[in-house]
């Protein structure tokens, strides 16, 4: 006779069977049993220092690896602590499963009791529940399938009384089959192919849905003479392509913005065309015809008016259009000699002239970022926090490959950067992890520096330190306003880092970055925090663009 197991044990085993790749969390009494069951079933677990950090680590791991990640939290306050990270994942359609303990049904007076379903639903995630021992296996499978096949963040609530119930071990479950991919309607593929045949200045704009298909898209762009660009979350899709314009939208170079605006055809592949990507529509020229390809019918035309909406998987749509154009001659399109020459000489931010604002005690963030890009190895994994500084690492640090830039900005919360970098680093251990963060965001999430030290991560943390909240100082404070609420005393962040067991260095000039080169030479068995005292930029160019919507 097979010994019975608890529902908590069943949940852990079942999620492992279905294909969970990694788990992050903070363990309390309510999620101890299920977390131990996951570990026993072979799913790696990282203990974070705060549930919010654990949620963002799981989000970043899933985005970077392309594999389903888990978050496990205590009931009530454990879930509320994680909600900002869960909201970010939900808004980004990250396939993430949250195993959240919940109070027993009869515990009506519990301090931990909240309406977890309503809380989860309010941020755009999907609430699910293990209802009983009899339904537990089906409940877990349903939640996991929703997360993976529908690309949703799902919170599976685990009531404590149900967790403790016993059930006969049903044995291992089969892995889920791959999610079905929708092919485009033939007439829509015909229409897109026809538009590409006649376009003189086509531009391909890749979003998150296009990340797995960069090579196929680049081949189609070669055939049709299209220039290529991407949204911020899809940076690196066209790495090493000569006609890659880099990131579109607020981070775009002046030349990239000009070329996108002058396109006669803009094809958005798996891109939601947000106001950030289109600069509130100003990057879509009056003569530009817009096509949007997406496998979500609700995305087509939702953010930007389109002339043609194609419902279908990006990869299958690219293949269908390429087949229709196979017999058509290869065209020059937008790839004229004058365009090639301008891209070669001024297509990247480090090539754009600027007046260096460095002082004897501070370094211009552009000078800092340009030198870092030259120092860092090509194989890097980039992450950024949010704030006035963020255009510098996003624009100046080269993204070497699809998935090598993790951009947790859908909720626009500061403080997610360090956890983002940790999750991405674990998903891409062959790359050197690099984080660009502001002093405000770094200090908000600094508890996870201990996590990075404990894991032995060779993580480079570059703090663009202006001793304040730069966005509020430069973009929201009217002339003469009292800014004492958003300015802070200068803090020795390098010393703080050393207190956590990391290495730390203060950078005020290019020469100080020699410490980064020494650290890169090895053994890189702990993080290095670079406290870069940056010069006042008067307000970054990209944030001026972004705040046009406020």
């Amino acid at each position: 006779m097979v010994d019975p197991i608890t529902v908590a044990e069943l949940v852990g085993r079942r999620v492992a069977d279905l294909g969970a790749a990694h788990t992050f969390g903070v363990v309390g009494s309510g999620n101890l049993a299920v977390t131990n069951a996951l570990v026993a079933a072979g799913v790696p677990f990282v203990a974070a220092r705060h549930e919010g950090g654990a949620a963002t680590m799981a989000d970043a791991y899933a985005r970077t690896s392309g594999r389903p990640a888990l978050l496990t939290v205590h009931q009530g306050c454990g879930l509320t602590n994680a909600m900002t990270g869960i909201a970010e994942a939900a808004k980004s359609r990250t396939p993430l499963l949250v195993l959240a303990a919940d109070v027993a049904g009869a515990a009506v007076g519990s301090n931990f009791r909240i309406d977890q379903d309503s809380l989860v639903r309010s941020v755009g995630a999907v609430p699910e529940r293990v209802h009983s021992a009899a339904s537990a296996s089906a409940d877990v499978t349903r939640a996991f399938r929703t997360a993976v096949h529908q690309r949703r963040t799902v919170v599976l609530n685990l009531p404590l009384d149900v967790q403790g119930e016993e059930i006969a071990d049903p044995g291992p479950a089969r892995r889920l089959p791959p999610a079905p991919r929708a092919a485009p309607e033939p007439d829509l593929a015909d229409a897109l192919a026809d538009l590409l045949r006649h376009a003189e200045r086509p531009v391909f704009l890749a979003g998150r849905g296009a990340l797995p298909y960069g090579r196929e898209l680049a081949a189609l762009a070669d055939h049709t003479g299209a220039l290529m660009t991407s949204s911020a979350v899809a940076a690196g899709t066209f790495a090493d392509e000569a006609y890659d314009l880099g990131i579109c939208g607020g981070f775009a170079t002046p030349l990239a913005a000009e070329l996108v605006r002058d396109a006669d055809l803009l094809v958005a592949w798996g891109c939601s065309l947000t106001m950030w990507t289109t600069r509130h529509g100003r990057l879509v020229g009056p003569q530009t015809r817009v096509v949007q390809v997406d496998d979500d019918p609700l995305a087509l035309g939702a953010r930007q008016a389109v002339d043609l909406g194609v419902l279908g998987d990006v990869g299958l749509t690219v293949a269908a259009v390429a087949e229709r154009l196979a017999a058509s001659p290869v065209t020059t399109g937008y790839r004229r000699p004058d365009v090639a020459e301008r891209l070669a000489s001024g297509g990247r931010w480090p090539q754009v002239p600027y007046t260096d604002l460095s002082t004897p005690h501070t370094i211009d963030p552009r000078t800092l970022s340009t030198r870092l890009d030259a120092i860092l190895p090509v194989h890097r994994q980039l992450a950024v926090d949010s704030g006035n500084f963020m255009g510098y690492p996003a624009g100046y640090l080269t993204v070497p490959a699809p998935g090598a830039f993790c951009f947790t900005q859908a909720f626009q919360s500061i403080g997610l950067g360090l956890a983002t970098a940790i999750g991405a680093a674990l998903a891409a251990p062959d790359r050197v992890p690099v984080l660009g963060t502001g002093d405000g965001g770094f200090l908000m999430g600094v508890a996870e520096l201990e996590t990075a030290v404990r894991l032995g991560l060779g993580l480079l943390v570059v703090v663009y330190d202006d001793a304040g909240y730069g966005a509020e100082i430069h973009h929201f404070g009217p002339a003469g306003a009292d800014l004492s609420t958003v300015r802070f005393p200068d803090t020795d962040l390098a010393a703080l880092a050393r207190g956590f067991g990391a290495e730390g260095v203060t950078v005020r000039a290019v020469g100080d970055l020699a410490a980064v080169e020494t650290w890169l030479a090895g053994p890189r068995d702990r993080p290095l925090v670079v406290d870069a005292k940056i010069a006042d930029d008067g307000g970054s160019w990209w944030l001026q663009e972004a705040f046009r919507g406020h």
Side-chain angles (χ1 to χ4, degrees), residues 18-390:
L18 291 170
H22 215 105
T23 308
F24 301 83
V26 175
V27 173
S29 58
N31 63 325
L32 176 62
V34 71
T35 303
N36 284 344
L38 285 164
V39 173
V43 181
F45 173 71
V46 168
R49 285 300 190 172
H50 190 278
E51 288 91 349
T56 301
M57 290 176 202
D59 182 5
Y61 185 95
R63 297 189 197 205
T64 304
S65 70
R67 302 174 64 197
L70 301 177
L71 167 66
T72 172
V73 296
H74 188 272
Q75 65 270 28
C77 51
L79 181 61
T80 58
N81 277 349
M83 284 314 296
T84 296
I86 291 172
E88 168 65 34
K91 287 176 177 289
S92 299
R93 293 292 294 271
T94 300
L96 177 64
L97 180 62
V98 182
L99 302 179
D102 199 358
V103 298
V108 293
S110 170
N111 287 7
F112 295 122
R113 177 174 287 281
I114 59 172
D115 186 347
Q116 295 194 174
D117 286 356
S118 294
L119 175 64
V120 167
R121 193 176 292 111
S122 73
V123 299
V126 178
E128 284 283 4
R129 182 169 293 275
V130 172
H131 295 280
S132 68
S135 68
S137 183
D139 293 337
V140 174
T141 303
R142 181 180 64 253
F144 196 90
R145 181 185 294 111
T146 299
V148 174
H149 284 186
Q150 297 182 30
R151 300 195 308 274
R152 300 296 299 274
T153 295
V154 177
V155 178
L156 180 62
N157 291 301
L158 307 173
L160 294 180
D161 50 348
V162 177
Q163 283 194 55
E165 292 180 10
E166 292 190 338
I167 186 173
D169 187 351
R174 293 182 180 180
R175 292 278 177 106
L176 293 180
R181 298 165 63 196
E185 292 291 336
D187 59 332
L188 295 177
D190 290 340
L192 176 50
D194 190 59
L195 286 171
L196 286 168
R197 283 191 191 97
H198 296 96
E200 296 180 356
R201 298 180 306 283
V203 171
F204 285 2
L205 170 57
R208 182 182 287 114
L211 269 171
Y213 309 111
R215 291 183 179 179
E216 294 87 345
L217 276 169
L220 184 60
D222 288 344
H223 192 92
T224 57
L227 304 181
M228 298 169 289
T229 183
S230 73
S231 64
V233 294
T237 301
F238 303 119
D240 298 326
E241 294 288 338
Y243 288 95
D244 176 20
L245 305 180
I247 298 176
C248 194
F251 296 152
T253 64
L255 178 57
E258 174 193 329
L259 293 171
V260 172
R261 191 182 298 112
D262 289 344
D264 62 353
L265 178 65
L266 178 65
V267 185
W269 301 92
C271 179
S272 56
L273 293 170
T274 68
M275 60 183 177
W276 317 114
T277 302
T278 67
R279 290 192 181 180
H280 305 278
R282 290 181 298 108
L283 290 186
V284 180
Q287 81 290 348
T288 306
R289 301 192 73 177
V290 179
V291 178
Q292 187 177 10
V293 179
D294 206 288
D295 62 3
D296 180 1
L298 298 180
L300 298 175
R303 309 282 187 111
Q304 166 71 44
V306 299
D307 298 284
L308 175 66
V310 180
L311 180 63
D313 172 80
V314 169
L316 295 179
T317 302
V318 171
V321 172
E323 181 180 4
R324 285 159 171 77
L325 294 176
S328 302
V330 176
T331 63
T332 301
Y334 216 161
R335 301 186 176 191
R336 305 186 304 264
D338 63 310
V339 172
E341 182 178 347
R342 294 182 69 194
L343 284 173
S345 61
R348 296 291 180 265
W349 272 112
Q351 297 171 309
V352 177
Y354 67 94
T355 300
D356 195 314
L357 301 174
S358 300
T359 73
H361 303 289
T362 60
I363 185 170
D364 189 304
R366 294 162 295 188
T367 303
L368 168 70
S369 304
T370 300
R371 180 58 185 154
L372 281 170
D373 190 52
I375 291 173
L376 289 168
V378 172
H379 296 291
R380 61 188 74 164
Q381 178 68 42
L382 302 175
V384 295
D385 210 312
S386 188
N388 181 72
F389 75 91
M390 64 190 291

Side-chain angles (χ1 to χ4, degrees), residues 84 385-390 408-409 411-417 437-445 468-469 471-472:
T84 296
D385 210 312
S386 188
N388 181 72
F389 75 91
M390 64 190 291
T408 47
Q409 293 295 322
F411 202 27
Q412 293 187 285
S413 171
I414 72 168
L416 306 187
T437 182
D439 53 299
F442 175 69
L443 288 170
M444 191 175 287
Y469 292 130
E472 285 68 26

